[in-house]
Amino acid sequence: MAQANVPLKDYRNIGIIAHIDAGKTTTTEGILYRTGINHKIGEVRGDGDGATTDWMAQEKERGITITSAAVTCFWKGHKINIIDTPGHIDFTAEVERSLRVLDGAVTVFDGKMGVEAQTETVWRQANKYGVPRICFVNKINQIGGDFYKSLDSIHNRLSKHALPVHLPIGFEKDINGLVDLLDMKAYTYSDYTDKALVQGEIPADMLEKAKNARSLLVEAAVEAEDELFERFLEEGEESITLEELKRALRKRVLAGDFFLVTGGDGRGVIVEKVLDLVNDFLPSPLDVEAIQGTNPKTGDVVERQPADSEPLSALAFKIASDPFVGRLIFVRVYSGKLTAGSYVLNTTTGEKERIGRIVRMHADKREDIDHVGAGDIAAVVGLKTTFTGHTLSDPAHPIVLESIEFPEPPVSIAVEPKTKADQEKMGIALQRLAEEDPTFRIHTDEETGQTIMSGMGELHLDILVDRMKREFNVEANIGEPQVAFRETIRGTAEAQGKHAKQSGGRGQYGDVWIRFEPTESGEGFEFVDEIKGGVVPQEYRAPVQKGIKDTLEGGVIAGYPMIGVKATLYDGSYHDVDSSELAFNLAGVLAVKAGIPQARPVILEPVMKVEVSTPEDFMGDIIGDLNSRRGRIDAMEDIPGGAKLVRAYVPLANLFGYTNDIRSMSQGRAASTMELAQYEEVPPNVMQEIIAKRTNK
C-alpha cells in the first residue's frame, strides 16, 4: 500500500467537508476506488460491505458519518491523507478538530440542494482555520441536480469568489463528462464506472459558454501576479500559457479567499478530475506558514518549519478506542520526526510519554510504520496521558501548539445503570467515551446524585448510549433530555464580602469589595485586580478569584452556571494575624451572594438555527408549528425541485422530538437541520416556569 519517498511538496492533507447527506463519504469511496486502495465502491446505505470510512456499526445502520476517518491514498506521485468528516451538526467537533490539522479541504455540495445549513457552518470553520478549499457539486446527475443553481447558491450564501474550473456536459441523468476550462478539452465517459475518462473536443453547443467561463477564470488568475496582469491587459488571454494559468490560480486558491468549482457524480470516474485539482491547487505542508507555538518555560513565541531536521512538534487531534490495539491517538506532525519506541514530551501536561507503535490508518485497518515525518498524519499506540489538543514535542526543545476549542454541549440526559454489575462498567465506559469526544461531558448532579451526560444534541447522546451498550455491554436507564440553561447578569452592582469569625484562639478575617458587571463578549468569566497599595495582600487575591468563580458555577436564580460575568476586586481590608487564604476565599463567596442578585440576573437558553426544506403544500403547517414553539421566522426561499426552505430561530427546549413531529406533519416529505446559534434571555413567563421546575426537583 505504501509508496515510499514521496517528497513533502507532493503531500496533501485534506478533509472532505459538507452538510449531512451531500455525499462526502461516497466521494471518499470514489477516490479510494480510483486510487487503487479499494477494488470496489462501498455503499453508504444498504446491505453491502458498507463504506470504508463508515466502519462503526452505528454508521452502517444509520448511513451517516459519526467519527472522522483517516485514510491514505496515492495519485500521480502525490500522497494524499484524507479525513472524511461528519456532516451532522451534533458531530461538529469532529469537523473542528480535523480542520485544525488539515492543510486543505474539498467542500462537497448536494447538487439538488445547493448550500445547506451545515455547509455554512463547516465553511465558517474552514475560514476560521484559514483552510484553502475546492468545491465539488455532487449528485448533479440525479433528478433535480443542477450545477449552475448550486453555483448561484455558493455565490449568494458563501462567497462571490467561486468560479467553475470545469463545466458539466449534459444535464441530470444525461451527464457524461465535463469540459476542462484549463486545457479546453472535453473529458467524457459512457458509464460512471468506466476505467478512464476519454479526452476529446468540446461539444459545439458548449464552446461559447466554455470560452466565456475560461475568460473569467483567466481574469481572476492574473490578479495573483503583476507581470501576468500587465501582459493580460496588453496582449489578451492568449498570451497566458497553461502553466502560468495553473500557477496563478494556485496562488489565488492558497490565499484562502478564492475557490475553484467542479461537479459530477462522486461515485464515478469523474473524481479523477477532483484528485487532479487536489494535486494541482491545494497546499502541501510546505505551502502552509510555519507553525507557531510557545515555549512553556519562557512563554516566548517559537516557530517550527515543516522539515524532518527540525525538533519534533506534533498535535494530537483525535482519540479512538480500537478493539485490537487499545487507545489510538491521531497526530499531525508539524516538524521533526516521530519514531516508534522513542520518548516525547507532552508539553500540555509536562509528562514524558513513550511512543509504542505508529500505524498508518486506513479507516479501521492498520499498517505498522516505524516513523512519521513532518507534514504527515498517523496514529500512535501506547500514549497514556495524551488527549485531544495536546502537543507532543522533543523534550530538549519544548513547544506548546495552540489547542483546539470546542463548544459547550447544550443538551443533557440523566443516565443510571440497570444493575450493580452495570454500575462499574458504566463508569469505565463513560470515561472512555469522554476521552474520545471532547464535546461529551459527564458530571454528577449534587442534589439528586444522578449521573448527567451532556452532548451536542439528541442524536449525539443517542449514539453515545448505543455505543455504551454495544462496545461496553452496559445496560442503562435514560432520562428525558434536558436543556443546558445558563445564567448571566444585565446590570452592574457593587458588594462587600466580609468573613469575620472570632472563636477562642486565632480568628478568621477576610474583607473584599467587588464590582460585578457583564463581560463585553457575554461569555466566560473575567477577574480584574484593581487593588492599589496593599489593602488586600497579593497572596489573598487568587483565593478571592477562586471563591467567586466556584460560586458562579451554581448561579443565583435557579442554580445554573453563570457566564458573562466580570468581577473587579477594588477594595477590602485584612488582619495581620487572623487573615488567611480560606477567609478570603469565603469573602469572595459572600460577595457573589450579596452582589449578583442586585445585578439584574437573568436565565439564558440555547436557541437553535433551524432550516426546514418542505414541499409548498405543508408550508403553512410548518410555519404555524414553528411559531407555536416560540420560533422566529428569519427567511423563506425557493430551492430546486419546487420546494421551499424556511429558516428560523427556535429555543432548543421546544425542539425535542422535532424530527419525528415534522415527518408526521408532512407525510415524511419535509426535512430539518438545526445547529446552536446563540444563548438568549428567556421571557419572564418561561423564567418563572424554569424556576418552579428547579425548586420542585
Side-chain angles (χ1 to χ4, degrees):
M1 177 177 136
Q3 288 188 6
N5 305 324
V6 175
L8 198 52
K9 72 176 178 60
D10 294 334
Y11 275 51
R12 299 290 180 270
N13 294 316
I14 64 162
I16 310 279
I17 61 174
H19 181 92
I20 190 168
D21 264 353
K24 295 176 296 302
T25 302
T26 309
T27 304
T28 308
E29 282 297 309
I31 287 171
L32 295 180
Y33 176 64
R34 292 291 150 192
T35 54
I37 299 288
N38 285 358
H39 301 297
K40 65 181 182 35
I41 296 180
E43 289 294 331
V44 176
R45 290 183 173 78
D47 303 323
D49 293 341
T52 310
T53 52
D54 281 356
W55 51 274
M56 283 168 62
Q58 293 87 343
E59 294 180 312
K60 285 183 161 53
E61 283 169 16
R62 294 165 197 254
I64 62 168
T65 301
I66 294 166
T67 61
S68 308
V71 287
T72 302
C73 61
F74 298 87
W75 181 250
K76 295 184 178 175
H78 289 65
K79 175 179 182 174
I80 306 176
N81 290 319
I82 301 175
I83 296 186
D84 170 28
T85 65
H88 197 286
I89 183 61
D90 283 12
F91 307 105
T92 186
E94 287 287 332
V95 185
E96 188 86 20
R97 58 176 161 193
S98 303
L99 285 170
R100 170 70 176 79
V101 297
L102 293 169
D103 302 325
V106 177
T107 311
V108 181
F109 299 83
D110 181 335
K112 306 193 293 292
M113 303 298 293
V115 174
E116 299 171 85
Q118 189 63 10
T119 325
E120 288 190 38
T121 306
V122 295
W123 192 268
R124 277 198 308 273
Q125 288 172 309
N127 285 343
K128 174 177 160 184
Y129 290 114
V131 176
R133 63 220 92 127
I134 52 178
C135 302
F136 176 61
V137 183
N138 191 18
K139 304 186 188 181
I140 54 173
N141 54 307
Q142 297 180 11
I143 292 169
D146 190 323
F147 179 78
Y148 297 100
K149 275 190 179 166
S150 296
L151 186 60
D152 281 346
S153 74
I154 293 172
H155 289 161
N156 293 334
R157 292 178 68 174
L158 301 179
S159 172
K160 291 273 187 281
H161 304 290
L163 290 181
V165 65
H166 303 141
L167 299 180
I169 298 173
F171 186 69
E172 288 186 357
K173 66 178 188 345
D174 299 325
I175 280 183
N176 68 334
L178 54 76
V179 171
D180 189 324
L181 300 177
L182 298 172
D183 61 10
M184 289 299 273
K185 296 283 183 202
Y187 292 85
T188 55
Y189 54 85
S190 53
D191 186 289
Y192 76 90
T193 58
D194 281 1
K195 280 277 178 268
L197 291 163
V198 177
Q199 185 183 322
E201 294 308 310
I202 297 172
D205 61 344
M206 282 190 72
L207 198 53
E208 202 54 40
K209 193 174 197 173
K211 280 180 178 171
N212 291 340
R214 189 178 199 272
S215 295
L216 289 173
L217 205 57
V218 175
E219 216 170 290
V222 295
E223 286 181 28
E225 295 181 17
D226 292 345
E227 190 267 325
L228 284 186
F229 188 62
E230 283 167 24
R231 194 194 321 157
F232 172 73
L233 290 178
E234 286 165 17
E235 301 173 36
E237 193 182 313
E238 289 69 34
S239 66
I240 312 293
T241 68
L242 178 60
E243 260 27 69
E244 288 170 334
L245 176 61
K246 279 186 167 180
R247 185 185 72 218
L249 280 174
R250 187 163 201 269
K251 282 185 181 171
R252 292 281 333 252
V253 171
L254 293 189
D257 57 359
F258 176 82
F259 313 97
L260 295 174
V261 187
T262 182
D265 180 346
R267 299 168 301 169
V269 63
I270 214 74
V271 298
E272 295 193 355
K273 297 303 276 183
V274 178
L275 284 163
D276 289 343
L277 292 180
V278 168
N279 283 0
D280 291 344
F281 299 106
L282 287 184
S284 79
L286 296 174
D287 294 310
V288 182
E289 288 179 3
I291 191 80
Q292 286 195 334
T294 47
N295 181 325
K297 291 177 183 167
T298 63
D300 295 339
V301 173
V302 262
E303 202 171 72
R304 293 274 193 274
Q305 299 294 334
D308 287 3
S309 55
E310 289 262 310
L312 170 72
S313 69
L315 187 74
F317 68 95
K318 178 178 167 56
I319 306 225
S321 294
D322 185 291
F324 302 106
V325 296
R327 259 173 108 237
L328 276 174
I329 289 91
F330 285 81
V331 292
R332 159 75 194 258
V333 179
Y334 285 98
S335 63
K337 208 185 250 189
L338 195 61
T339 311
S342 66
Y343 282 89
V344 296
L345 175 68
N346 178 333
T347 42
T348 313
T349 63
E351 292 185 32
K352 274 196 173 180
E353 292 254 48
R354 184 177 180 274
I355 303 292
R357 290 162 57 197
I358 301 176
V359 288
R360 164 98 46 237
M361 290 304 292
H362 179 55
D364 62 337
K365 300 183 181 69
R366 296 161 307 279
E367 172 199 16
D368 276 277
I369 51 179
D370 55 11
H371 71 272
V372 53
D376 210 347
I377 288 174
V380 176
V381 185
L383 300 180
K384 302 279 186 297
T385 59
T386 299
F387 296 101
T388 300
H390 287 189
T391 303
L392 300 176
S393 80
D394 178 340
H397 302 88
I399 182 174
V400 181
L401 303 176
E402 184 191 345
S403 192
I404 311 170
E405 287 179 13
F406 298 105
E408 285 292 315
V411 184
S412 302
I413 51 173
V415 55
E416 50 190 41
K418 282 191 176 168
T419 66
K420 196 86 179 122
D422 285 321
Q423 187 153 9
E424 200 169 298
K425 285 193 292 186
M426 187 174 95
I428 295 165
L430 289 173
Q431 188 190 340
R432 284 270 178 82
L433 293 169
E435 281 177 8
E436 284 183 31
D437 184 347
T439 56
F440 170 49
R441 312 275 164 85
I442 321 145
H443 73 276
T444 304
D445 187 311
E446 286 177 13
E447 290 175 30
T448 61
Q450 288 177 308
T451 300
I452 307 292
M453 292 169 59
S454 302
M456 297 307 291
E458 285 180 278
L459 177 68
H460 187 196
L461 292 172
D462 191 17
I463 282 170
L464 287 164
V465 170
D466 196 21
R467 286 187 63 192
M468 205 158 67
K469 193 170 166 180
R470 290 191 203 208
E471 293 171 32
F472 301 95
N473 299 317
V474 176
E475 293 290 340
N477 296 319
I478 306 300
E480 286 292 304
Q482 301 292 323
V483 177
F485 292 105
R486 295 281 182 267
E487 295 181 23
T488 191
I489 51 174
R490 293 287 187 241
T492 301
E494 296 184 348
Q496 181 183 25
K498 187 171 185 178
H499 177 72
K501 263 193 177 166
Q502 199 66 46
S503 55
R506 186 178 165 182
Q508 290 182 24
Y509 186 90
D511 174 27
V512 293
W513 278 90
I514 308 286
R515 185 185 312 113
F516 295 103
E517 57 198 317
T519 58
E520 275 183 33
S521 65
E523 292 171 16
F525 165 68
E526 279 178 43
F527 181 76
V528 182
D529 179 356
E530 276 184 7
I531 292 293
K532 303 280 189 290
V535 289
V536 175
Q538 188 72 46
E539 67 266 27
Y540 297 144
R541 296 174 200 173
V544 174
Q545 178 179 354
K546 188 172 186 317
I548 294 171
K549 193 171 186 224
D550 291 351
T551 313
L552 290 176
E553 285 297 310
V556 296
I557 306 176
Y560 291 109
M562 294 206 82
I563 58 172
V565 176
K566 177 179 174 182
T568 305
L569 169 62
Y570 67 92
D571 201 0
S573 62
Y574 74 104
H575 188 281
D576 282 341
V577 179
D578 292 351
S579 285
S580 65
E581 290 191 1
L582 175 63
F584 273 95
N585 181 294
L586 292 169
V589 172
L590 293 169
V592 171
K593 292 184 172 168
I596 293 288
Q598 299 170 44
R600 295 203 354 252
V602 293
I603 294 180
L604 302 174
E605 64 180 344
V607 173
M608 309 300 277
K609 178 182 175 185
V610 179
E611 290 205 352
V612 184
S613 53
T614 172
E616 201 163 345
D617 310 358
F618 306 108
M619 186 86 155
D621 292 349
I622 299 275
I623 288 174
D625 179 67
L626 286 169
N627 286 331
S628 73
R629 295 171 189 266
R630 292 198 286 127
R632 298 193 310 275
I633 307 297
D634 181 48
M636 288 180 268
E637 58 190 68
D638 295 330
I639 49 175
K644 297 279 186 190
L645 182 75
V646 182
R647 265 188 252 150
Y649 290 93
V650 188
L652 174 62
N654 298 349
L655 283 172
F656 292 126
Y658 185 62
T659 311
N660 293 332
D661 294 348
I662 198 174
R663 281 201 193 113
S664 55
M665 216 186 310
S666 65
Q667 298 164 13
R669 293 170 64 198
S672 68
T673 60
M674 61 181 81
E675 63 171 308
L676 182 61
Q678 66 256 348
Y679 271 83
E680 289 179 12
E681 195 175 319
V682 301
N685 60 325
V686 179
M687 189 152 107
Q688 294 313 318
E689 286 172 25
I690 294 168
I691 294 169
K693 265 189 199 161
R694 289 287 276 189
T695 47
N696 293 338
K697 238 175 44 172

